[in-house]
Amino acid sequence: GQQVMQIPQYQHVQEGEDFTTYCNSSTTLSNIQWYKQRPGGHPVFLIQLVKSGEVKKQKRLTFQFGEAKKNSSLHITATQTTDVGTYFCTYNFNKFYFGSGTKLNVKP
Amino acid sequence: DGGITQSPKYLFRKEGQNVTLSCEQNLNHDAMYWYRQDPGQGLRLIYYSQIVNDFQKGDIAEGYSVSREKKESFPLTVTSAQKNPTAFYLCASSIDRAGPTTEAFFGQGTRLTVV
């Protein structure tokens, strides 16, 4: 099935630093969703992007969908320890295709 | 409260035994999914069901079986044929088949350990 690749696999930052994770596909996607999984927890839906070039913000989180709809990014400004977890991108077409995830660790 | 419930939270299985993981939802969702997650890994799709009495294999269905006799329930059986069953199992549901505006709701997960 269609795969979405995420980079980096791991990211360690100092609290207050910014963080970005990237999601790439070899084909055009109809949509991108982002989920966050806290350590020991389950994935929770954050946001969905469907339009080319779309940008959405949730407080310190900024989500972008590329113009060609083949890539997406999640940027966190001034990370906090509450941002710790794994961030997954996924697209859905009859079923959900999850990326491999980026595990974020924030040092206080 | 509407939601998706998985039980048990922790499960221990002896080698050679079958074990069934429960997943129940009261969200009136048509579609349900089972994922497997290994430490530090992403989510891999085991089985999914878009409607009652119908289900399809995902990417890693070997050694697993499912049923969808009721809309609310999608149990997963880990059979003795699954060679490396120790993992975190996540059940999810969505209002209908995964279309462009559908999000997935996850249960709390079941952590299965083979002893």
Side-chain angles (χ1 to χ4, degrees):
Chain A
Q2 174 67 47
Q3 297 293 324
V4 286
M5 306 301 294
Q6 266 188 270
I7 54 170
Q9 188 175 5
Y10 300 98
Q11 186 79 57
H12 300 272
V13 300
Q14 197 72 37
E15 189 173 23
E17 293 180 339
D18 292 356
F19 159 77
T20 304
T21 175
Y22 301 91
C23 184
N24 299 298
S25 169
S26 58
T27 61
T28 301
L29 303 174
S30 59
N31 62 84
I32 274 283
Q33 294 182 347
W34 286 92
Y35 291 76
K36 176 183 178 181
Q37 183 179 23
R38 295 183 186 273
H42 60 282
V44 174
F45 175 80
L46 292 177
I47 209 159
Q48 176 169 267
L49 306 168
V50 295
K51 298 178 182 177
S52 170
E54 189 170 14
V55 178
K56 288 188 177 180
K57 292 190 176 184
Q58 288 180 350
K59 297 182 180 178
R60 294 178 295 103
L61 278 61
T62 302
F63 304 84
Q64 293 189 345
F65 201 8
E67 293 289 342
K69 300 182 75 174
K70 290 184 177 181
N71 54 71
S72 180
S73 64
L74 159 58
H75 180 80
I76 302 178
T77 303
T79 54
Q80 300 175 358
T81 55
T82 53
D83 296 324
V84 166
T86 302
Y87 293 85
F88 293 98
C89 65
T90 181
Y91 85 99
N92 45 1
F93 184 75
N94 291 326
K95 55 187 176 181
F96 293 89
Y97 297 86
F98 279 84
S100 51
T102 296
K103 187 173 182 179
L104 172 64
N105 187 37
V106 180
K107 292 178 287 187
Chain B
D1 282 339
I4 182 165
T5 303
Q6 289 185 242
S7 61
K9 189 172 182 180
Y10 299 96
L11 188 57
F12 297 89
R13 188 195 93 172
K14 292 183 179 179
E15 283 194 33
Q17 284 183 338
N18 292 355
V19 64
T20 298
L21 282 58
S22 170
C23 179
E24 303 277 333
Q25 54 97 359
N26 60 3
L27 300 167
N28 200 32
H29 285 175
D30 283 321
M32 297 187 75
Y33 315 84
W34 274 106
Y35 291 90
R36 170 180 171 143
Q37 187 174 34
D38 293 284
Q41 303 292 314
L43 279 67
R44 293 186 289 169
L45 183 63
I46 305 172
Y47 270 98
Y48 64 106
S49 168
Q50 294 170 338
I51 198 167
V52 176
N53 292 322
D54 186 46
F55 50 82
Q56 286 80 40
K57 292 182 179 180
D59 300 319
I60 55 164
E62 186 174 351
Y64 300 97
S65 66
V66 293
S67 63
R68 187 84 188 277
E69 297 176 2
K70 299 187 297 182
K71 188 175 185 178
E72 315 81 68
S73 180
F74 191 40
L76 172 74
T77 297
V78 184
T79 74
S80 56
Q82 171 50 238
K83 297 306 178 189
N84 186 20
T86 295
F88 187 45
Y89 290 87
L90 286 158
C91 179
S93 70
S94 63
I95 192 165
D96 55 18
R97 67 175 59 193
T101 59
T102 301
E103 69 182 86
F105 293 81
F106 284 84
Q108 302 289 328
T110 293
R111 200 166 296 276
L112 173 64
T113 303
V114 173
V115 295

